[in-house]
Amino acid sequence: MSQVSGRRRRLVVEEDINGITIVNFVDKKILDEANIQQLGEELFSLVDGPRKILLNFSNVEYLSSAALGKLITTNKSVSQAGGKLRLCCIHPQIYEVFKITKLNKLFEIHKDEQAALEGF
Amino acid sequence: MCSATAKQGTIVRGVVWVRVSDGGALEPRINSSMSHESENNRYFGTVVIDSDTAQGQRIQTDIVSFAQKCEFSEPELFAIRLAIEEALVNAIKHGNGSDPSKKVRIEYSIDHEQFRVCIEDEGPGFDPASVPDPTDPEFLERPCGRGLMLMKHYMSLVEYSGRGNCVTMLKRRGEVKEDNGDD
């Protein structure tokens, strides 16, 4: 596991050939406050310009409203920087959380990574 | 009635939920064994934690494992975990303001019929009716304010009592809730 300042990273970040930043989550459960705080910091650090960022949720089984808050803030700062944020591979139980809170209308959500990368 | 036959003890200072009359409501009784208890596949107890979400995570994991033993389904366990998480974060951060001198008290009871939990903080309380609808377009981009809505969606019942510093949540096993969401 890679360590940053003694902390385990919460995100795995890679860049595809088209310059799209693809982000995977390390944690299956995005719940604990400290983890969510760190997750937010790592997400915000990606927004250093008009980047295209894809968040792949395939590893994520649980997610709380505090994590949703970080996603909303990230989405705003990506837009302000002239970039784009997309989400994909959201487990049906978690997608329900997006539906209940109507955040499925706020975020651009795709079923799988290939669909999300098309026309990004 | 419960402590004499208790099979399991792990943590904490104890309160036992006792059904005083047949079909009557469960009422808390002080139990000196300071533990989680189980009897006839009913799990119950009281845990007092500091205003620390890491401690909240531990009790959450325990309670979800008890619900699993009581044969709650996977979606129901998801619902229980999420509701406890949201209620504990509300109690620790918004209720107690993360004040290390303040405690959160969690009383729970789980059997094959239902999951029930009361979470009480030492904060000033709040009026749940004053929380704006987070799905209102005006508030959709606010980073907070969704916990209560999720608790209400996933539980059979959510009730505030006291000065608004104590929430009781109940989930009946096998209950089908109408899906009023849209895609």
Side-chain angles (χ1 to χ4, degrees):
Chain A
M1 267 323 146
S2 64
Q3 300 274 324
V4 174
S5 327
R7 295 189 304 183
R8 196 163 64 95
R9 288 190 68 86
R10 309 255 76 96
L11 301 177
V12 177
V13 182
E14 52 182 338
E15 202 146 304
D16 85 342
I17 46 167
N18 297 314
I20 296 168
T21 305
I22 301 172
V23 179
N24 280 274
F25 296 86
V26 170
D27 302 294
K28 287 188 187 305
K29 297 178 175 66
I30 307 180
L31 293 174
D32 185 64
E33 189 196 13
N35 287 356
I36 291 172
Q37 188 60 32
Q38 193 189 337
L39 181 84
E41 286 166 19
E42 289 183 31
L43 281 172
F44 303 151
S45 73
L46 294 175
V47 191
D48 55 0
R51 279 234 224 181
K52 291 175 178 176
I53 300 173
L54 173 61
L55 303 181
N56 185 325
F57 282 81
S58 55
N59 193 35
V60 180
E61 294 169 1
Y62 279 97
L63 174 147
S64 72
S65 70
L68 292 177
K70 295 295 180 197
L71 295 178
I72 292 168
T73 316
T74 304
N75 191 43
K76 266 192 209 166
S77 76
V78 170
S79 303
Q80 280 163 4
K84 273 196 213 169
L85 182 76
R86 287 183 179 179
L87 280 50
C88 74
C89 309
I90 299 180
H91 189 282
Q93 278 183 345
I94 296 181
Y95 187 71
E96 196 187 349
V97 174
F98 280 83
K99 260 172 66 180
I100 298 160
T101 53
K102 296 202 176 156
L103 291 174
N104 58 332
K105 312 279 185 202
L106 183 74
F107 292 108
E108 191 174 336
I109 299 174
H110 295 268
K111 198 172 175 190
D112 53 48
E113 196 169 291
Q114 199 186 345
L117 290 172
E118 273 170 27
F120 202 167
Chain B
M1 84 186 233
C2 297
S3 54
T5 54
K7 287 176 274 188
Q8 175 182 324
T10 35
I11 323 176
V12 216
R13 55 203 91 175
V15 164
V16 182
W17 284 89
V18 177
R19 202 178 295 281
V20 178
S21 58
D22 276 349
L26 289 170
E27 288 185 21
R29 293 281 182 272
I30 298 297
N31 169 30
S32 59
S33 68
M34 316 274 279
S35 64
H36 285 306
E37 303 276 359
S38 79
E39 180 197 52
N40 300 327
N41 285 323
R42 189 163 72 84
Y43 295 83
F44 45 90
T46 295
V47 183
V48 178
I49 61 168
D50 298 324
S51 295
D52 171 7
T53 51
Q55 291 183 27
Q57 289 291 313
R58 284 195 284 278
I59 177 66
Q60 183 197 97
T61 303
D62 286 343
I63 292 178
V64 170
S65 76
F66 299 149
Q68 198 165 16
K69 286 178 184 156
C70 292
E71 295 177 337
F72 279 77
S73 68
E74 194 48 51
E76 286 168 338
L77 296 174
F78 180 91
I80 289 170
R81 187 191 296 276
L82 194 62
I84 298 174
E85 167 75 16
E86 300 296 344
L88 282 176
V89 168
N90 282 349
I92 292 169
K93 293 185 71 177
H94 304 303
N96 286 351
S98 303
D99 180 344
S101 71
K102 290 180 176 168
K103 305 283 184 193
V104 175
R105 178 188 162 89
I106 303 143
E107 292 177 5
Y108 65 88
S109 162
I110 308 155
D111 58 25
H112 276 69
E113 301 279 309
Q114 65 179 36
F115 152 82
R116 181 192 160 100
V117 68
C118 300
I119 296 175
E120 184 177 5
D121 61 59
E122 295 182 38
F126 78 110
D127 174 11
S130 69
V131 178
D133 178 359
T135 65
D136 186 319
E138 194 188 335
F139 301 117
L140 195 59
E141 289 199 69
R142 270 174 43 142
C144 50
R146 289 174 183 79
L148 181 60
M149 177 182 207
L150 292 172
M151 286 153 60
K152 283 181 179 164
H153 177 88
Y154 281 108
M155 292 288 107
S156 309
L157 179 83
V158 177
E159 248 175 27
Y160 279 82
S161 56
R163 54 181 186 268
N165 64 327
C166 181
V167 63
T168 300
M169 302 192 291
L170 185 146
K171 180 142 185 96
R172 296 178 198 96
R173 194 172 72 91
E175 182 182 62
V176 180
K177 254 192 156 181
E178 269 183 43
D179 181 9
N180 53 6
D182 58 314
D183 284 319

